[in-house]
Amino acid sequence: MTEPVVFRWHPAVVTAVEALTPWVKSVRLACDLAKSYRAGQHVDVRLTAEDGYRAQRSYSVASVPDGSGTFELMVEGLPDGEVSGWFSEVAAVGDTVELRGPIGGSFSWDGPDGGPLLLAAGGSGVVPLLAMLRRRAQAYPEIPAALIYSARTRAEAIALAELEARDRAEPGFSLHLTTTREDRARRVDADLVAAAMARLGPPGRVFICGSNRFVGTASDLIVAAGVAPGLIRTERFGA
Ligand SMILES: Cc1cc2nc3c(=O)[nH]c(=O)nc-3n(C[C@H](O)[C@H](O)[C@H](O)COP(=O)(O)OP(=O)(O)OC[C@H]3O[C@@H](n4cnc5c(N)ncnc54)[C@H](O)[C@@H]3O)c2cc1C
């Protein structure tokens, strides 16, 4: 029997590597899977060592289809991280990995799904939400959107320059950043959610992504602010 396309592994070649923050690398991969996917979806990445040892992990796609045939991933290098460590310390242009996907139809968005879009991210959980904002800017700028983003510090906030530029330039988009390890450190709280919803109005779609703890807290706060739980989609990156 033929395997469904989503489960087959496809070769992918690294075409660019760029440092985004002290710990996060942007890695662009050319792969035939990159022709068509939805903002918010992820791919599985498989690495194979010379002795045949294999490791695989999931990574959200930060880019949107643009005809280039490439995916952009944004990978945070974790201490002793088997796969993220490879991306942050070893990956170089010309290296080959394997990908399968795109995966995650329910945690994805496109314009016909509607809005307003309320997005909440902790740390690298911003990656799939960045893809949704890029898609909105590319094709549906009239749909209102707000991003609540909790990062450890401004220097560690992924794509902060892009997000702040969108906040300034795109009517209908607002960024609500909080940092947890700087002067006046603050975690996501009811006031921050209220500020985002005051700018946005009642959301029609809500996407929350980050650590287990962040997703639990943000979901509780958003429901407490009056949003129906059925509108909320969550994705948990792990620890
Ligand atoms: C759907 C999905 C999408 C994801 N998208 C992204 C993405 O866009 N960017 C990204 O950087 N990561 C993403 N992740 C997390 C990623 O899949 C890996 O879990 C992460 O890179 C760690 O893998 P590793 O092999 O480097 O670490 P491992 O060798 O598995 O673990 C090393 C150490 O890190 C701890 N650890 C493992 N995972 C995490 C985590 N997520 N956060 C904190 N500590 C952890 C382990 O407990 C261990 O102590 C995603 C996860 C899922 C499920």
Side-chain angles (χ1 to χ4, degrees):
M1 208 167 76
T2 315
E3 283 181 327
V5 173
V6 75
F7 293 127
R8 235 183 300 134
W9 292 99
H10 294 241
V13 179
V14 176
T15 60
V17 181
E18 185 194 342
L20 292 179
T21 76
W23 318 114
V24 178
K25 288 268 168 74
S26 159
V27 180
R28 215 164 246 285
L29 293 151
C31 181
D32 61 1
L33 292 174
K35 288 188 194 109
S36 168
Y37 55 95
R38 281 168 60 90
Q41 288 191 293
H42 66 273
V43 290
D44 285 344
V45 178
R46 182 163 78 174
L47 306 182
T48 305
E50 277 176 16
D51 64 2
Y53 174 76
R54 282 178 164 158
Q56 73 183 61
R57 301 287 185 275
S58 301
Y59 292 97
S60 300
V61 180
S63 50
V64 289
D66 59 3
S68 68
T70 65
F71 288 121
E72 182 186 17
L73 307 184
M74 295 178 170
V75 180
E76 177 176 10
L78 297 176
D80 301 324
E82 199 171 37
V83 174
S84 67
W86 183 83
F87 274 113
S88 52
E89 280 153 39
V90 179
V93 171
D95 286 345
T96 300
V97 301
E98 291 173 288
L99 301 184
R100 66 179 183 185
I103 302 165
S106 70
F107 197 87
S108 72
W109 178 84
D110 202 10
D113 302 338
L117 267 181
L118 178 60
L119 311 175
S124 55
V126 77
V127 178
L129 309 186
L130 183 64
M132 293 179 192
L133 292 172
R134 287 174 167 181
R135 178 61 181 155
R136 170 188 174 274
Q138 182 189 50
Y140 302 97
E142 71 284 1
I143 295 180
L147 172 65
I148 297 167
Y149 183 14
S150 173
R152 284 185 290 248
T153 63
R154 282 182 62 83
E156 290 171 90
I158 297 170
L160 183 57
E162 175 180 337
L163 291 168
E164 290 187 330
R166 292 191 185 285
D167 180 75
R168 284 190 300 272
E170 294 178 10
F173 170 64
S174 61
L175 172 66
H176 305 267
L177 176 74
T178 187
T179 55
T180 57
R181 298 206 190 151
E182 284 180 321
D183 288 350
R184 286 179 283 155
R186 176 183 175 192
R187 293 194 176 274
V188 169
D189 59 20
D191 288 346
L192 200 67
V193 171
M197 287 187 43
R199 286 285 298 274
L200 186 71
R205 289 275 183 281
V206 183
F207 293 92
I208 304 173
C209 187
S211 64
N212 286 326
R213 188 169 130 181
F214 176 86
V215 169
T217 304
S219 303
D220 289 348
L221 289 167
I222 289 170
V223 170
V227 175
L231 295 180
I232 301 174
R233 298 281 178 276
T234 61
E235 188 153 86
R236 295 160 193 267
F237 276 9

